[in-house]
Amino acid sequence: MLSLKCLSKTNISTACSYVINGRLRNVRDSVKLKRGLHTRFSVKEDTGSRAERKVCEAVLQHFNTQYNEELGETWLSAREVLLNPHCWQYGVLLNRFSDHLDIKAVLKSLGYYSLLSQPDSPIVRSLQCLVHREAVRLRSQRHRPGWLKQYYLLNAASLLPVLALAVRDGESVLDLCSAPGGKALAVLQTANPGLLHCNEVDKSRYEWLIKTLESYVPRELRDTLALTNEDGRDIGGTKTEMFDKVLVDAPCSSDRSWLFSSGAQQVELRLRERANLPQLQKELLCSALAAVRPGGLVVYSTCTFSRAENQSVMEEVLSTSQGVELMELEEDLICSLSGHFKFAHLQPPLGHLVVPEQGRTWGPMYVCRLRRKPSS
């Protein structure tokens, strides 16, 4: 890791290394640092570990059978990306609670540019995510007590659910399946909610969530956060109609990671669990609809292509839930992102699915938004 400390100098020339398409590159950038600023900026060396991960043939065959039927040629191009981690792109979400101006300048000098380009939108103005046209991968910053990290690395398509939620200052928000915390962090970049309730049922992931928020959120704002380690299916009953907006980033097949499952036992377990996921997802979504106030929004998202976990979940919930309606995402939002993301043509046409392709490797990310109708 490259550490920069500056007490009196105003200009420091730093040598940075970063990875493009699996090859280590070196650049030199002039970084202006304010007096007393402690900045950490580093990049990840190319160890080849991602490329060396072995594809699980059993999972790949399972996906081929399902997705060839559901997505056709779209699956063939997406599969090419998923099987080659060296081509994966990474978004850099800047943390507005830290001093990131110098990091932003360095990234722009390396060819990064803003993902979002709607200056009239208050959400877009505050949510700063930089992306690169090539597969550049920075090193994640280490957790250090008392120091706020300056950026968070993510699949840029994972910001779509947060943009769909469109949180405003003062609103009460529930992140039902919150770990590892990237979307909760993104919510805090877009607005100052009156309450952000982050829940995670898995104990180890809950600890991960705590560490994420400690690493990015200043102490003075933590009074607006509530963290719980509960089954999300129960929250609709215990916190009925308490939230203005709810995000359900549901447990799912997670196609990127499942392709690299290790060991026959893990593969067997995951494929068996996959059949049960739609029922869990429907129960979580129904809990979210109970927790949101009349007139409030619920955004459902997954990181899988699976129709059973995406449109089919929405179809069943819409057909069995009273007082709930589909609320399409704003056309200008989809249009502004269409240059970065490839959106699939879904059948049935419920929600939006980002699918990766060469040069735009973001996704998979499915997003659908529901509205609980106001009381009559």
Side-chain angles (χ1 to χ4, degrees), residues 103-123:
I103 297 294
K104 186 175 181 179
V106 171
L107 291 176
K108 288 199 168 185
S109 74
L110 296 177
Y112 279 84
Y113 58 96
S114 177
L115 173 74
L116 304 165
S117 56
Q118 287 179 288
D120 294 335
S121 167
I123 292 177

Side-chain angles (χ1 to χ4, degrees), residues 273-286:
E273 286 178 345
R274 195 171 201 228
N276 299 323
L277 281 171
Q279 182 60 35
L280 170 63
Q281 292 157 345
K282 284 180 279 191
E283 291 173 2
L284 287 168
L285 185 52
C286 288

Side-chain angles (χ1 to χ4, degrees), residues 66-291:
Q66 179 179 353
Y67 296 151
N68 274 328
E69 178 182 349
E70 294 182 3
L71 297 171
E73 292 185 2
T74 298
W75 164 241
L76 299 181
S77 59
R79 182 182 64 186
E80 183 180 354
V81 171
L82 297 187
L83 294 177
N84 181 19
H86 265 326
C87 77
W88 295 357
Q89 294 163 283
Y90 293 83
V92 182
L93 178 65
L94 299 180
N95 183 15
R96 70 184 177 107
F97 304 119
S98 71
D99 193 336
H100 61 248
L101 295 179
D102 300 302
I103 297 294
K104 186 175 181 179
V106 171
L107 291 176
K108 288 199 168 185
S109 74
L110 296 177
Y112 279 84
Y113 58 96
S114 177
L115 173 74
L116 304 165
S117 56
Q118 287 179 288
D120 294 335
S121 167
I123 292 177
V124 169
R125 281 200 301 269
S126 58
L127 186 62
Q128 298 189 65
C129 180
L130 302 182
V131 295
H132 201 286
R133 288 181 175 83
E134 298 187 74
V136 179
R137 181 158 52 99
L138 303 182
R139 183 185 295 276
S140 297
Q141 294 176 314
R142 293 181 182 275
H143 173 73
R144 297 172 58 244
W147 182 75
L148 296 181
K149 295 183 182 182
Q150 296 157 310
Y151 59 85
Y152 184 91
L153 301 181
L154 42 63
N155 184 320
S158 66
L159 293 177
L160 187 56
V162 176
L163 293 169
L165 203 61
V167 175
R168 298 177 181 176
D169 289 350
E171 289 185 324
S172 180
V173 182
L174 170 62
D175 187 358
L176 195 63
C177 312
S178 191
K183 292 181 179 64
L185 175 61
V187 166
L188 292 171
Q189 304 303 309
T190 67
N192 298 307
L195 170 67
L196 176 57
H197 184 143
C198 300
N199 179 71
E200 174 56 46
V201 64
D202 183 86
K203 184 62 176 177
S204 62
R205 288 174 60 83
Y206 176 69
E207 298 296 333
W208 188 2
L209 170 65
I210 292 173
K211 184 171 289 189
T212 297
L213 295 176
E214 286 179 347
S215 296
Y216 290 93
V217 182
R219 290 185 179 276
E220 57 268 25
L221 291 182
R222 293 178 194 171
D223 288 343
T224 65
L225 301 179
L227 277 68
T228 53
N229 178 212
E230 302 176 20
D231 189 329
R233 293 172 291 184
D234 298 332
I235 288 181
T238 59
K239 294 179 172 57
T240 305
E241 298 184 358
M242 286 187 59
F243 300 96
D244 299 300
K245 290 172 180 174
V246 181
L247 174 62
V248 186
D249 188 40
C252 68
S253 295
S254 188
D255 296 344
R256 279 190 187 236
S257 61
W258 279 32
L259 272 172
F260 297 93
S261 302
S262 59
Q265 190 173 14
Q266 184 187 47
V267 172
E268 183 181 353
L269 176 62
R270 282 183 164 176
L271 293 180
R272 189 166 60 247
E273 286 178 345
R274 195 171 201 228
N276 299 323
L277 281 171
Q279 182 60 35
L280 170 63
Q281 292 157 345
K282 284 180 279 191
E283 291 173 2
L284 287 168
L285 185 52
C286 288
S287 177
L289 289 167

